Amino acid sequence: MSAMLLSIKPQYAEMIIEGTKKYEFRTRKCRDNIKKIIFYATAPKSQVVGEAEIECVLVGKPTEIWKKTKCGSGIPASFFKEYYKNRDVAVAYKLTNVKAYETPKALKDYGVTHVPQSFIYLKQQND
């Protein structure tokens, strides 16, 4: 399964794992063959804490994407608007089959030597 390792603030990683944040928002769409997101919780955690499958990817004007995702966004409208300020396109990954790692992992467990600024593609992942 093709995957990407995504840098995400620890509070949002926790919300995804708890199920209160069902979408991950980005300014760019990943490659079409990516089926899984692996979550790297940034400092102070600095650990890979879980993963989720991508159910679908929504791409459109920020106002359209907010209408479709606000109930499961896990973020306030004001934050969403600021994030997409001066942007014509919003991307929302709808997450499913979220799994928290019982023991968090290190980046080196994925062959990664540096913290990704946003995300990096990983080589073929086995389920």
Side-chain angles (χ1 to χ4, degrees):
M1 179 181 288
S2 298
M4 66 177 172
L5 183 92
L6 191 76
S7 288
I8 185 170
K9 292 181 180 179
Q11 68 265 31
Y12 297 132
E14 287 176 27
M15 291 172 69
I16 289 168
I17 289 166
E18 292 168 355
T20 56
K21 188 173 191 296
K22 299 183 184 307
Y23 295 91
E24 177 56 23
F25 300 98
R26 294 288 152 156
T27 57
R28 300 188 320 209
K29 183 179 178 288
C30 67
R31 295 179 189 155
D32 287 336
N33 66 338
I34 301 300
K35 304 295 180 205
K36 184 190 294 185
I37 296 176
I38 298 170
F39 299 106
Y40 173 77
T42 57
K45 284 219 185 256
S46 302
Q47 296 175 313
V48 180
V49 296
E51 63 185 59
E53 291 176 21
I54 299 172
E55 183 176 311
C56 67
V57 182
L58 304 173
V59 180
K61 292 181 181 181
T63 52
E64 294 169 2
I65 297 302
W66 180 250
K67 285 178 189 174
K68 293 177 182 177
T69 63
K70 64 183 174 184
C71 290
S73 70
I75 58 174
S78 58
F79 182 87
F80 181 91
K81 287 176 185 173
E82 184 62 29
Y83 185 68
Y84 288 110
K85 186 177 181 179
N86 299 322
R87 295 197 177 265
D88 297 326
V89 176
V91 178
Y93 296 98
K94 185 169 185 186
L95 307 173
T96 189
N97 298 326
V98 177
K99 177 177 134 182
Y101 294 156
E102 195 170 306
T103 304
K105 300 178 183 185
L107 288 174
K108 67 180 180 183
D109 294 333
Y110 296 89
V112 177
T113 58
H114 63 284
V115 175
Q117 280 192 340
S118 179
F119 68 87
I120 58 172
Y121 296 110
L122 297 175
K123 293 182 180 177
Q124 193 73 14
Q125 296 292 303
N126 296 326
D127 290 312

